[in-house]
Amino acid sequence: MEEKDTCEIVCVHEDNVKEIKSKMLEDELLFEVSDNFKIFGDSTRLKILYALSKKDLCVCDLAAVLDMSQSAISHQLRVLRTKNLVKFRKEGKMAYYFLADDHVVSMIELGVEHTKEKL
Amino acid sequence: MEEKDTCEIVCVHEDNVKEIKSKMLEDELLFEVSDNFKIFGDSTRLKILYALSKKDLCVCDLAAVLDMSQSAISHQLRVLRTKNLVKFRKEGKMAYYFLADDHVVSMIELGVEHTKEKL
DNA sequence: CTTCCATATGAATACATGGTCATATTTATC
DNA sequence: GATAAATATGACCATGTATTCATATGGAAG
């Protein structure tokens, strides 16, 4: 029977909250950004992207380089394709994958740099 | 009874594979890098970090800004603490969180930049 | 020392996700 | 056209993870 509609949080600093809220980026944008980071947040995908930054490669070469199954690589390549990070061209039965743009490279480089600096 | 030890993959371009393998970064490093990216790959954490880049905030202010439960925020702050992305100081009962370094800021900025350019 | 409030934390749940296995698809070669 | 090779894909499973709920902790104030 108690009045539960009142917010349980009491300590909120109204002014701070308002200020920061006004400075926040749009929810949707931040969601997309985190979604993009997520792609780099898997070591298999990261390895694929790094390998492709050195040379265009076909699926089975990637599988050999990463020492993983063709299927696993193919699945991840699909993810990367969907997110427009890689493209591919067909040559006979082979599919040669390559990076869609070099944002990818600078992103990885920054990640590596920051990681190294923390050690 | 067949000889199964031979790799089923036939198409591998030995030279390519060797070349790229030699150019690959160490597995362990790439794993750490992807692990770091993973932190930015969640919109709640990203919002927390972005908010903290504007001003030090206590837990309940963060909860108010993100419009999420105190518990959810606290759990994510723990993750960020563990990964050394945020620190905090105690003032009375309150805990004021702040960014541990400004790598975080440049990382987010790059992410936002790349995301915007893709639209 | 008791109560209140801000925060932390453990358990439980719901959902996403990476890999495997089996199989489909497509192209080249015989 | 039949077979083989390279890749793609769907179903499935195991694991990871973000949130909620209930509760613990610790400082402040009475």
Side-chain angles (χ1 to χ4, degrees), chain A residues 10-60:
Chain A
V10 198
C11 79
V12 173
H13 306 85
E14 287 294 352
D15 43 346
N16 272 354
V17 173
K18 251 182 195 156
E19 178 197 341
I20 304 302
K21 261 192 173 171
S22 74
K23 288 184 179 170
M24 286 296 279
L25 297 176
E26 293 195 355
D27 259 44
E28 203 196 335
L29 175 61
L30 284 176
F31 187 79
E32 278 184 66
V33 175
S34 69
D35 221 51
N36 284 339
F37 276 121
K38 210 170 290 184
I39 303 177
F40 296 90
D42 175 80
S43 61
T44 299
R45 284 192 293 267
L46 200 62
K47 285 180 196 170
I48 291 177
L49 292 171
Y50 189 80
L52 293 181
S53 77
K54 301 302 176 192
K55 178 176 260 183
D56 299 2
L57 293 168
C58 71
V59 179
C60 70

Side-chain angles (χ1 to χ4, degrees), chain B residues 17-33:
Chain B
V17 173
K18 251 182 196 158
E19 179 197 340
I20 304 302
K21 261 192 173 169
S22 74
K23 288 184 179 170
M24 285 297 280
L25 297 176
E26 292 194 356
D27 259 44
E28 202 195 335
L29 175 60
L30 284 177
F31 187 80
E32 279 185 65
V33 176

Side-chain angles (χ1 to χ4, degrees), chain A residues 57-68 70 94 96, chain B residues 7-19 21:
Chain A
L57 293 168
C58 71
V59 179
C60 70
D61 281 356
L62 277 170
V65 170
L66 302 205
D67 194 29
M68 290 182 62
Q70 172 268 322
M94 326 269 264
Y96 282 91
Chain B
C7 180
E8 318 81 23
I9 301 174
V10 198
C11 80
V12 174
H13 306 84
E14 286 294 352
D15 42 347
N16 272 352
V17 173
K18 251 182 196 158
E19 179 197 340
K21 261 192 173 169

Side-chain angles (χ1 to χ4, degrees), chain B residues 20-111:
Chain B
I20 304 302
K21 261 192 173 169
S22 74
K23 288 184 179 170
M24 285 297 280
L25 297 176
E26 292 194 356
D27 259 44
E28 202 195 335
L29 175 60
L30 284 177
F31 187 80
E32 279 185 65
V33 176
S34 69
D35 222 50
N36 285 338
F37 275 122
K38 210 169 290 181
I39 304 177
F40 295 91
D42 174 82
S43 60
T44 299
R45 283 192 293 268
L46 199 62
K47 286 179 196 171
I48 291 176
L49 292 171
Y50 189 79
L52 293 181
S53 78
K54 301 301 175 191
K55 177 176 260 181
D56 299 4
L57 292 168
C58 71
V59 179
C60 69
D61 282 355
L62 277 170
V65 169
L66 301 206
D67 194 28
M68 290 182 62
S69 75
Q70 173 269 322
S71 181
I73 300 293
S74 201
H75 276 296
Q76 292 305 337
L77 283 171
R78 193 154 89 104
V79 174
L80 294 172
R81 251 186 293 140
T82 305
K83 301 288 186 173
N84 295 310
L85 292 189
V86 303
K87 297 187 187 303
F88 71 102
R89 62 170 181 281
K90 278 273 194 155
E91 288 186 16
K93 328 176 201 176
M94 326 268 264
Y96 282 90
Y97 279 81
F98 53 94
L99 298 185
D101 60 66
D102 28 77
H103 284 201
V104 177
V105 178
S106 60
M107 203 68 194
I108 295 180
E109 275 171 0
L110 189 64

